[in-house]
């Protein structure tokens, strides 16, 4: 067994999650052991307590407690990916070069694991090495039921650069959604703050975000500023609309909570839209009925970012998932009807 070690995070390792960095240093460690060390405060960064998912910065000093030499990794540390899952992940690739992979993430596939998530992009990305020694790294997330552009870095240096760009808002993301009713004005912005609220019993959908009036954000404990641009592109009478959205902040469930707060929930949104109710054209209720799928109609359509190596701007666009493509066809819409940048007049 080793003694206590003080390890300085190298420049190339900046931006990594603590648990992943630690397993690279000590392959015998299990995730369970890392979580326990964090809970007990034995594992510290710059003398402070941390969580396993904390991001490291170059130059930080990690205090590592004594590590048993013979601790065997749990089976999930080296998951076996089925051929079907490998084919699925590789079919999702819409951009690949030496530094970056971009996926069109399917709706219903989680980005990362959790207490009830054993199948997710992070685990299945072992199928995306394409000759590299390590799997690509996630640099941001999408909700499980949201489809579309998901960015992964193929090297530590690319991950560090992309994470910094996302943190400093040097990227642009445009989402498409089918919403209940018709938002007016057709081009506008939503500035409601957001704060977390707990679930309500066994069938209460768990935690959700509550909208706070902009004037009350600074006076409400736990509330955070949130800002979304939206553009109403096409509509079907007063029943439903095709809306583009650009989040200028990155809060949990921001787009879903914002659209619900202005009275136009995203179709299929059981958490924020009252999916058990029928929308009657008044902007309330997130089900249209008929041939329209009950799945969430929210899609990360495009992302524009600076390439971490070439430093040139790169825009990647993801086609609609099957259930949304079917709804678009039902409405008589095609993807090429939308402008590449619906928010150009606001810039």
């Amino acid at each position: 067994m080793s003694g206590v070690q003080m390890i300085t995070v190298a420049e190339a390792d900046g931006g990594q999650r603590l648990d992943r960095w630690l397993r690279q240093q000590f392959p015998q460690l299990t995730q369970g052991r890392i979580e326990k060390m964090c809970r007990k405060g034995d594992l510290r960064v710059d003398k402070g307590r941390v969580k396993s998912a904390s991001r490291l910065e170059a130059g930080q000093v990690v205090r590592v407690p004594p590590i048993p030499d013979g601790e065997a990794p749990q089976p999930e540390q080296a998951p076996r990916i089925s051929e079907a899952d490998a084919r699925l992940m590789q079919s999702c690739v819409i951009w690949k070069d030496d530094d970056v992979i971009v996926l069109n993430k399917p709706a219903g596939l989680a980005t990362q694991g959790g207490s009830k998530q054993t199948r997710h992009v992070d685990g299945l990305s072992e199928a995306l090495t394409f000759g590299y020694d390590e799997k690509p790294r996630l640099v941001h997330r999408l909700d499980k039921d949201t489809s579309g552009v998901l960015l992964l870095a193929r090297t530590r240096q690319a991950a560090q650069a992309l994470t910094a760009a996302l943190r400093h808002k040097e990227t642009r993301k445009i989402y498409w959604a089918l919403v209940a009713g018709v938002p007016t004005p057709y081009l506008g912005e939503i500035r409601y703050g957001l704060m977390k609220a707990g679930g309500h019993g066994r069938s209460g959908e768990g935690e959700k975000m509550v909208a706070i009036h902009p004037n009350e954000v600074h006076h409400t404990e736990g509330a955070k500023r949130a800002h979304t641009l939206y553009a109403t592109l096409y509509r079907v009478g007063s029943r439903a609309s095709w809306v583009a959205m650009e989040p200028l902040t990155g809060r949990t469930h921001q787009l879903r909570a914002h659209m619900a707060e202005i009275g136009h929930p995203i179709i299929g949104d059981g958490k924020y839209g009252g999916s058990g109710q029928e929308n009657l054209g008044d902007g309330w209720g997130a089900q249209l009925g008929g041939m329209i799928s009950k799945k969430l109609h929210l899609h990360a359509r495009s992302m524009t970012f600076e390439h971490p190596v070439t430093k040139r701007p790169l825009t990647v666009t993801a086609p609609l998932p099957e259930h949304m493509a079917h709804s678009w066809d039902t409405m008589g819409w095609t993807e090429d009807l939308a402008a590449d940048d619906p928010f150009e007049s606001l810039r």
Side-chain angles (χ1 to χ4, degrees):
M1 178 180 290
S2 65
V4 173
Q5 301 179 59
M6 308 297 288
I7 304 175
T8 300
V9 179
E11 185 70 31
D13 290 335
Q16 281 201 83
R17 282 174 52 128
L18 173 61
D19 51 2
R20 294 176 189 164
W21 175 86
L22 199 60
R23 287 201 300 270
Q24 289 173 357
Q25 312 299 317
F26 304 96
Q28 72 270 33
L29 277 180
T30 66
Q31 185 68 24
R33 169 72 69 167
I34 295 172
E35 299 284 354
K36 184 177 181 179
M37 290 191 298
C38 289
R39 287 195 304 271
K40 293 177 64 178
D42 294 336
L43 183 64
R44 291 176 176 255
V45 175
D46 286 347
K47 300 183 180 180
R49 298 177 74 101
V50 287
K51 296 181 179 180
S52 62
S54 298
R55 296 281 177 179
L56 296 172
E57 296 180 10
Q60 288 183 318
V61 177
V62 182
R63 178 197 183 277
V64 182
I67 303 295
D69 296 326
E71 183 169 340
Q74 294 176 340
E76 60 264 27
Q77 297 301 315
R80 297 180 63 89
I81 301 175
S82 69
E83 291 185 11
D85 278 340
R87 287 195 300 270
L88 168 68
M89 293 300 293
Q90 291 167 10
S91 72
C92 293
V93 175
I94 53 178
W95 175 272
K96 177 172 71 72
D97 60 27
D98 291 343
D99 309 286
V100 175
I101 288 178
V102 185
L103 303 181
N104 185 2
K105 186 189 82 68
L109 180 63
T111 303
Q112 289 179 297
S115 58
K116 296 182 180 179
Q117 299 296 336
T118 58
R119 186 171 179 269
H120 45 79
V121 172
D122 192 33
L124 298 180
S125 62
E126 294 284 358
L128 303 176
T129 54
F130 298 112
Y132 280 35
D133 292 335
E134 297 182 359
K135 70 178 185 179
R137 297 165 170 81
L138 292 166
V139 295
H140 69 114
R141 296 180 59 180
L142 290 176
D143 288 348
K144 177 182 177 181
D145 294 323
T146 302
S147 59
V149 174
L150 185 66
L151 184 60
L152 297 89
R154 301 191 71 189
T155 67
R156 295 182 190 178
Q157 292 81 0
Q160 189 172 0
L162 291 170
T163 299
L166 287 160
R167 185 183 302 121
H168 297 117
K169 300 180 174 61
E170 295 169 354
T171 62
R172 288 192 66 197
K173 304 174 189 175
I174 294 178
Y175 290 73
W176 283 357
L178 181 64
V179 308
V182 182
T184 54
Y186 293 151
L187 182 64
E189 54 187 336
I190 308 168
R191 291 181 175 270
Y192 282 97
L194 296 171
M195 65 177 291
K196 286 185 179 179
H200 302 286
R202 187 171 56 184
S203 58
E205 306 274 352
E207 277 189 343
K208 62 186 297 184
M209 306 303 289
V210 174
I212 305 296
H213 192 279
N215 294 339
E216 299 298 324
V217 171
H218 295 299
H219 310 294
T220 305
E221 184 178 357
K224 295 183 179 180
R225 183 179 63 87
H227 190 185
T228 300
L229 304 180
Y230 76 87
T232 306
L233 304 181
Y234 292 90
R235 61 192 179 94
V236 178
S238 61
R239 291 295 302 276
S241 304
W242 172 4
V243 170
M245 293 170 287
E246 180 177 355
L248 301 185
T249 52
R251 309 304 181 199
T252 301
H253 296 171
Q254 177 175 319
L255 302 180
R256 297 164 62 183
H258 268 177
M259 294 309 297
E261 183 62 23
I262 66 170
H264 301 285
I266 297 172
I267 300 302
D269 193 343
K271 185 180 287 285
Y272 295 96
S275 61
Q277 306 295 327
E278 232 183 86
N279 167 48
L280 301 177
D282 56 3
W284 187 85
Q287 289 299 334
L288 293 179
M291 299 175 64
I292 302 302
S293 171
K294 292 185 178 181
K295 292 182 179 179
L296 182 69
H297 283 63
L298 178 61
H299 178 68
R301 171 63 173 178
S302 68
M303 179 181 286
T304 301
F305 58 95
E306 182 184 87
H307 192 280
V309 174
T310 68
K311 303 304 179 182
R312 294 178 179 175
L314 176 63
T315 299
V316 183
T317 301
L320 289 171
E322 184 178 356
H323 72 281
M324 288 183 67
H326 180 269
S327 296
W328 259 235
D329 186 58
T330 301
M331 303 293 183
W333 301 329
T334 55
E335 296 183 31
D336 58 0
L337 289 174
D340 290 336
D341 184 3
F343 307 103
E344 188 173 5
S345 64
L346 296 178
R347 299 190 177 278

